[in-house]
Amino acid sequence: MSTSRLAAALLTPRTIALVGASGDAKKDTSRPQRFLHKHGFAGRVIPINPNRTEVLGERAYPSLLAAPGPIDHAFVMVPAKSVCDVIAQCSQAKVPVATIYSDGFAESGEEGRELQRRLVDTAHAGGVRLVGPNSMGIINTEPVMPLAVAAVLDHAKIEAGSLAVISQSGTMLGALLSRGQARGMGFSRLISVGNEADLTVGEIADLLIDDPASTTILLFLETLREPDKLAAMARRAYAANKPVIAYKLGRSAVGRELARSHSGAMTGPQESVSAFFQHHGILRVDMLETLLEMPALVSDHKPAGGRRVAVLTTTGGGAGMVVDQLGARGIELISAPAKVVARLKDMRLSVNTRAPLVDLTMAGTRKGVYGPVLNQLLASPECDAVVAVVGSSGQYHPELAVEPIVSAERGNKPLAAFIVPQADKSLALLAKAGVAAFRTPEACADAVRAYLDWSPPVTPEAVMSGELSAVDTALAATEGSVLTEIEARAVFHALGIAQAPAHMLDDTEMISHIGYPVAAKIVSPDIPHKTEAGALVLGISDDSALRQSCRELVHKIKRTCPTAKIAGILVQRMQSGLAETIIGYKHDSETGPIIILGMGGQLTEIYRDFAVRLAPVSRETALAMIAEVRGLAVIRGYRNLPPGDCEALAAAVCALSKLARVSSRTVLEAEINPLIVKPVGAGVVAVDGLIICRT
């Protein structure tokens, strides 16, 4: 089916069949028919009900095959066990799209998952595309088509606008519609995708990129399904100047399966998803309010070049709330630029140049003050975004209060307005002028942070054919899911990552040429984390101490881990440097391969000081990750400390990230902890590592 035919059948059908339509106005299954008529759908509506010849005044038919065609879109509201038969009828009647309201599929357990698999097979065999199951429906505003079960349509008037909404939560469809319209916002399309058994968020959003009625795409997400399709859509939307803004549940890691490596435990769902969004040019907001209030902030804008914000105000307390929230999000706040100070001086006004905002005090309410200063900030190269704060005048004198903001010379710089009191008229005036207006300091700061975090889609890192042949060979030689350290060392060597000199011992052989002091470690696929298991001894100074340590290690592990398979003892030269780091790789279930860089050692999860990106990464991205980790200031020359070899660290990050491109075995997790960073020119050295593969 062509994309144009799919889009027409999905969004602007001329004939809709309501399968399972009820004549009882109290039932949910009566709503789509009532709503279509109430809001003025201009096409044909055909109720399908085998037990009635008439539904709500319209002739009903016993099946899709008995109904007059052609039918563009079927809305299915029958019990789950009957849905497959309905989709088979769609195929026979050549109905291109069906939206399934019925539940009881993958969300309900294994039996439901099997039913959903059969449903998809039936649809694909018959050339039918599916929305849902478990979908609340589709609302189109121009032309009007409220094909949905959302109760809000009983009360709300459908206002046309340019915001398109795609939601994995059905109930949020009505919530976003009601919240948005309470703000005077209009929508183009609102689509509930349900289980995404067939059509996914990425595929449906991709149709909206070519939709002239939709300028911004808003996503309410519970999970990421088919991330490749979502990524391709986001990149195409960015190129088409249609921002994609996402609110995703899952900031908490509660209920997430614990990973088996330090990097897995360290990286919760929010970090990998944020990395995915950043990689593909999607803006992520943390608040539902922001999802609705932010679009005007990014409309017709591209990502900023920095993170500097100017806050202009006449009310210190109101602005202080915004400044506090921005500061908590790591945004750089500037004081009054020199040109602003000079302009105010010409007006015989002064401003505190040490404060992290531009506070005009009550003098700023005088005519001809606020507007010129705002325009100077918007034109200033010293900031990347401007927040205008309006005090009590926004409530009592709305036209005067927001006039300087409405008429501001915005140019290419984003402007956000925060109204301190409840001031609906001021908010409406700002919205009409296309100015992003916020009701709370938290939402305002969240939107500005999301904009400043926004970046163009990252160009995929190319890995040359044959570049990873040695890595594939090393991985192909392994068998178990958890590689021994010897096997992991072979993979790290193939990646070109320097490692501490080491050698395997038996009970009698001593290795003096490695050089003391050394560490002794049990090698076992059943003991991935040696520190926790007590499977290593550090700082061994001579042969005698080494023999004693080896005997004690074997005795201890046989007592504490009696079922562990011991492959031997690895003796490794002790290492020192300027910093200990951890590099982790993970094949995330939602986003695919990611790479993590953080401070290493035993307390890495506690500090939670790390950077995450999609893998593989370039040298430039790896260097940006190093700059992002606060603890790595110690190797970046902080307070004249000796700089570490950041280039070598970046090269190691790039190397490990290339596990995303290996073909012999799928690497689920890999970790080097610690990776010692030495002074500039001395490189880095891997001390311990772990690799887990899919069996």
Side-chain angles (χ1 to χ4, degrees):
M1 186 186 312
S2 68
T3 55
S4 59
R5 185 183 179 213
L6 174 60
L10 183 71
L11 302 172
T12 57
R14 291 166 296 181
T15 301
I16 297 171
L18 303 174
V19 185
S22 172
D24 185 348
K26 295 180 180 178
K27 290 186 176 181
D28 291 352
T29 48
S30 74
R31 288 178 179 175
Q33 188 173 351
R34 292 193 292 107
F35 295 160
L36 286 165
H37 287 298
K38 175 180 178 177
H39 293 284
F41 175 62
R44 285 195 305 153
V45 178
I46 302 176
I48 305 294
N49 189 321
N51 302 314
R52 302 184 62 132
T53 58
E54 173 270 332
V55 174
L56 298 179
E58 290 187 280
R59 181 179 175 182
Y61 296 85
S63 71
L64 282 167
L65 298 179
I71 296 170
D72 303 308
H73 196 134
F75 193 78
V76 184
M77 303 175 285
V78 300
K81 63 183 180 181
S82 302
V83 173
C84 280
D85 291 339
V86 172
I87 299 306
Q89 290 182 31
C90 286
S91 174
Q92 289 180 266
K94 300 189 182 308
V95 179
V97 172
T99 295
I100 302 170
Y101 168 63
S102 315
D103 58 6
F105 290 88
E107 80 284 356
S108 63
E110 184 53 43
E111 185 177 344
R113 284 191 287 272
E114 176 57 33
L115 185 59
Q116 183 165 305
R117 283 190 287 268
R118 287 197 286 116
L119 171 64
V120 173
D121 290 343
T122 302
H124 286 179
V128 182
R129 300 307 305 270
L130 305 177
V131 178
N134 205 21
S135 165
M136 292 289 281
I138 299 169
I139 301 171
N140 199 56
T141 61
E142 203 171 288
V144 174
M145 188 205 69
L147 183 58
V149 187
V152 67
L153 292 171
D154 248 334
H155 311 285
K157 180 182 177 182
I158 300 177
E159 298 288 348
S162 62
L163 300 179
V165 175
I166 301 177
S167 175
Q168 288 175 336
S169 166
T171 56
M172 287 308 301
L173 204 67
L176 290 168
L177 178 63
S178 61
R179 284 173 174 265
Q181 293 196 338
R183 290 165 165 74
M185 299 168 60
F187 298 92
S188 57
R189 332 283 187 194
L190 297 101
I191 302 166
S192 164
V193 297
N195 294 5
E196 295 176 89
D198 178 28
L199 286 168
T200 63
V201 168
E203 290 176 280
I204 294 173
D206 194 70
L207 298 175
L208 300 177
I209 297 171
D210 300 318
D211 175 22
S214 303
T215 61
T216 305
I217 300 170
L218 308 182
L219 306 179
F220 184 96
L221 302 175
E222 296 168 339
T223 187
L224 299 186
R225 299 188 183 101
E226 300 285 352
D228 289 346
K229 293 178 180 177
L230 184 61
M233 176 280 298
R235 289 170 174 271
R236 204 166 79 84
Y238 183 87
N241 294 317
K242 292 197 174 184
V244 179
I245 307 174
Y247 174 89
K248 184 183 181 298
L249 300 178
R251 283 290 187 182
S252 168
V254 173
R256 190 177 176 92
E257 180 182 352
L258 293 176
R260 295 175 66 183
S261 76
H262 283 300
S263 54
M266 180 174 66
T267 305
Q270 67 272 30
E271 288 87 8
S272 57
V273 170
S274 291
F276 177 88
F277 288 158
Q278 181 183 40
H279 192 86
H280 298 298
I282 299 174
L283 296 105
R284 183 179 191 178
V285 298
D286 292 336
M287 301 177 64
L288 185 62
E289 298 294 302
T290 316
L291 185 67
L292 293 169
E293 294 175 346
M294 183 178 186
L297 187 67
V298 295
S299 178
D300 298 323
H301 290 300
K302 287 296 187 183
R307 295 177 61 81
R308 302 162 302 170
V309 174
V311 177
L312 177 64
T313 184
T314 59
T315 169
M321 292 188 290
V322 175
V323 167
D324 187 43
Q325 292 293 327
L326 288 167
R329 289 164 173 79
I331 305 301
E332 180 184 348
L333 295 152
I334 69 165
S335 56
K339 287 187 177 180
V340 169
V341 174
R343 180 63 181 269
L344 289 171
K345 188 176 181 180
D346 291 341
M347 299 177 184
R348 297 185 179 181
L349 298 173
S350 62
V351 66
N352 184 353
T353 57
R354 295 189 300 274
L357 76 167
V358 182
D359 187 358
L360 301 178
T361 68
M362 290 302 294
T365 61
R366 293 185 349 220
K367 188 175 178 61
V369 177
Y370 197 100
V373 174
L374 177 58
N375 286 334
Q376 279 203 327
L377 290 174
L378 288 166
S380 174
E382 297 182 42
C383 64
D384 303 290
V386 178
V387 176
V389 180
V390 178
S392 58
S393 59
Q395 181 179 14
Y396 300 112
H397 307 288
E399 291 84 359
L400 295 175
V402 301
E403 191 279 331
I405 303 173
V406 167
S407 59
E409 299 168 4
R410 282 178 271 172
N412 295 320
K413 189 167 294 181
L415 170 63
F418 166 53
I419 313 294
V420 179
Q422 182 66 34
D424 293 340
K425 191 168 183 181
S426 286
L427 291 166
L429 290 169
L430 290 167
K432 185 178 180 180
V435 177
F438 298 90
R439 289 155 175 76
T440 68
E442 292 84 4
C444 182
D446 184 33
V448 173
R449 187 274 315 154
Y451 170 74
L452 296 178
D453 283 349
W454 189 27
S455 59
V458 176
T459 302
E461 174 69 2
V463 178
M464 301 298 292
S465 177
E467 184 179 344
L468 296 175
S469 58
V471 181
D472 277 319
T473 300
L475 283 168
T478 64
E479 295 181 358
S481 60
V482 181
L483 276 58
T484 67
E485 187 170 353
I486 298 302
E487 293 171 326
R489 283 176 62 87
V491 175
F492 297 145
H493 175 74
L495 287 166
I497 299 172
Q499 301 175 84
H503 199 87
M504 289 288 286
L505 296 182
D506 58 28
D507 288 340
T508 59
E509 182 186 11
M510 293 296 107
I511 306 298
S512 59
H513 67 267
I514 288 180
Y516 290 101
V518 298
K521 302 187 274 186
I522 293 288
V523 177
S524 170
D526 302 316
I527 307 175
H529 296 298
K530 302 174 187 66
T531 300
E532 288 86 337
L536 82 163
V537 179
L538 303 176
I540 301 170
S541 58
D542 54 41
D543 285 357
S544 175
L546 179 58
R547 291 190 183 92
Q548 179 66 22
S549 296
C550 290
R551 286 193 293 268
E552 292 176 354
L553 274 175
V554 172
H555 178 73
K556 179 178 182 180
I557 293 304
K558 286 183 176 179
R559 185 180 73 252
T560 59
C561 306
T563 61
K565 297 177 182 178
I566 300 177
I569 296 176
L570 185 72
V571 175
Q572 186 179 70
R573 177 68 184 269
M574 295 290 293
Q575 298 293 315
S576 62
L578 301 180
E580 291 188 2
T581 64
I582 177 175
I583 307 176
Y585 168 90
K586 182 179 178 183
H587 194 95
D588 187 88
S589 59
E590 284 190 302
T591 64
I594 58 172
I595 190 76
I596 308 111
L597 171 67
M599 296 301 295
Q602 298 180 40
L603 302 180
T604 185
E605 293 99 334
I606 294 175
Y607 292 133
R608 296 192 61 79
D609 180 17
F610 51 87
V612 183
R613 297 291 190 278
L614 263 61
V617 296
S618 65
R619 167 186 171 275
E620 291 73 20
T621 299
L623 288 170
M625 294 173 71
I626 294 170
E628 192 174 314
V629 179
R630 295 185 301 275
L632 290 181
V634 297
I635 63 169
R636 298 195 299 260
Y638 178 71
R639 291 194 174 182
N640 295 319
L641 289 171
D645 202 330
C646 291
E647 285 288 345
L649 177 56
V653 171
C654 292
L656 193 67
S657 77
K658 290 177 182 177
L659 289 174
R661 295 289 186 264
V662 298
S663 58
S664 56
R665 296 191 71 185
T666 299
V667 177
L668 297 178
E669 297 178 21
E671 173 187 292
I672 299 175
N673 183 24
L675 180 80
I676 306 294
V677 182
K678 296 181 178 292
V680 172
V684 296
V685 59
V687 174
D688 199 4
L690 169 68
I691 296 177
I692 301 173
C693 293
R694 180 173 291 148
T695 54

